[in-house]
Amino acid sequence: MIRTAIIIGSTRPNRNGEAVARWVFDIARKRADAEFELVDLRDFNLPLLDEPVPPAMGQYSKDHTKAWSAKIDSFDAFVFVTPEYNHSTSGALKNALDFIYKEWNNKSAGFVSYGSAGGARAVEQLRLIMAELQIADVRAQVMLSLFTDFENMSVFKPDPRHEKSVNTMLDQVIEWGKALKSLRIG
Ligand SMILES: Cc1cc2nc3c(=O)[nH]c(=O)nc-3n(C[C@H](O)[C@H](O)[C@H](O)COP(=O)(O)O)c2cc1C
């Protein structure tokens, strides 16, 4: 059974991201083909990257880096729940991605985004970052509109049709996650 993290990519007070990620988690946990865990960046309290050696060298000196490394290392696949800030993902998520390296490699990922244009621009940027982290990002993605999937842009009321797209995205993430596991073991 592969382990999939659903990562909340926003840390600000009053974030919409937590409700979105909990909704994804509730859909995911009905499935029997993978294990799922919600991972909240807030719980790791990462500062701006403060490791003296580039993360790809794997020489972590700080306890917060070691805790983040151990958590991400325990997964085979990821779902990034991302806001769109100035046409990109959040600084908090980019920083968390930058902090470690090999823990991301040869694993799969999918995206759930939200914003005025469904967060599409944030995901396009994340896809470029995935290549450098050697994460295989799947085609299917879930785009939620601040105008039609939230009341007053703050109370999450997703259109029911999105549940199907969450499962389509998870199908791809899980299949690729299983396939890539053999690369890491072999
Ligand atoms: C710093 C900042 C920049 C933003 N820039 C965009 C943007 O470029 N495009 C967009 O659709 N929404 C933008 N928004 C609106 C966010 O999509 C919206 O506030 C969303 O709820 C943010 O996610 P969060 O509540 O989980 O932090 C921005 C919000 C913030 C705080």
Side-chain angles (χ1 to χ4, degrees):
M1 190 84 89
I2 72 159
R3 278 176 43 76
T4 302
I6 297 168
I7 299 180
I8 308 176
S10 167
T11 54
R12 71 179 187 92
N14 297 328
R15 60 187 175 173
N16 281 323
E18 184 170 343
V20 174
R22 288 193 184 283
W23 168 77
V24 175
F25 182 56
D26 285 342
I27 296 169
R29 71 206 301 193
K30 292 180 198 153
R31 301 176 63 111
D33 54 353
E35 285 174 14
F36 298 91
E37 185 177 321
L38 262 185
V39 174
D40 192 342
L41 295 185
R42 269 189 192 169
D43 293 339
F44 294 86
N45 210 16
L46 294 169
L48 286 175
L49 180 58
D50 62 349
E51 285 290 344
V53 177
M57 310 292 284
Q59 295 171 29
Y60 305 139
S61 64
K62 305 281 165 63
D63 287 345
H64 52 251
T65 314
K66 290 174 188 167
W68 180 235
S69 161
K71 176 55 74 178
I72 294 305
D73 203 38
S74 74
F75 295 105
D76 305 293
F78 308 101
V79 174
F80 295 105
V81 177
T82 181
E84 182 172 302
Y85 291 168
N86 297 314
H87 290 199
S88 186
T89 191
S90 67
L93 179 55
K94 177 62 163 64
N95 186 55
L97 288 164
D98 290 344
F99 240 100
I100 53 179
Y101 186 72
K102 71 174 185 348
E103 298 80 352
W104 300 116
N105 297 172
N106 294 320
K107 298 179 179 178
S108 65
F111 305 100
V112 177
S113 58
Y114 49 97
S116 58
R121 296 164 293 214
V123 172
E124 288 301 298
Q125 293 214 3
L126 274 167
R127 289 186 185 280
L128 295 173
I129 296 162
M130 295 294 110
E132 186 57 17
L133 293 174
Q134 302 184 57
I135 297 175
D137 50 319
V138 303
R139 176 175 187 256
Q141 68 188 68
V142 182
M143 292 184 289
L144 303 163
S145 167
L146 279 181
F147 303 115
T148 56
D149 294 307
F150 293 82
E151 272 176 20
N152 301 321
M153 298 195 178
S154 58
V155 181
F156 186 44
K157 297 265 175 78
D159 186 303
R161 75 188 159 88
H162 293 305
E163 180 162 347
K164 189 165 182 272
S165 53
V166 170
N167 275 311
T168 302
M169 177 272 295
L170 290 174
D171 288 344
Q172 296 182 1
V173 168
I174 291 164
E175 286 307 304
W176 282 17
K178 283 183 196 159
L180 287 166
K181 196 168 183 174
S182 63
L183 268 186
R184 303 200 307 278
I185 295 166

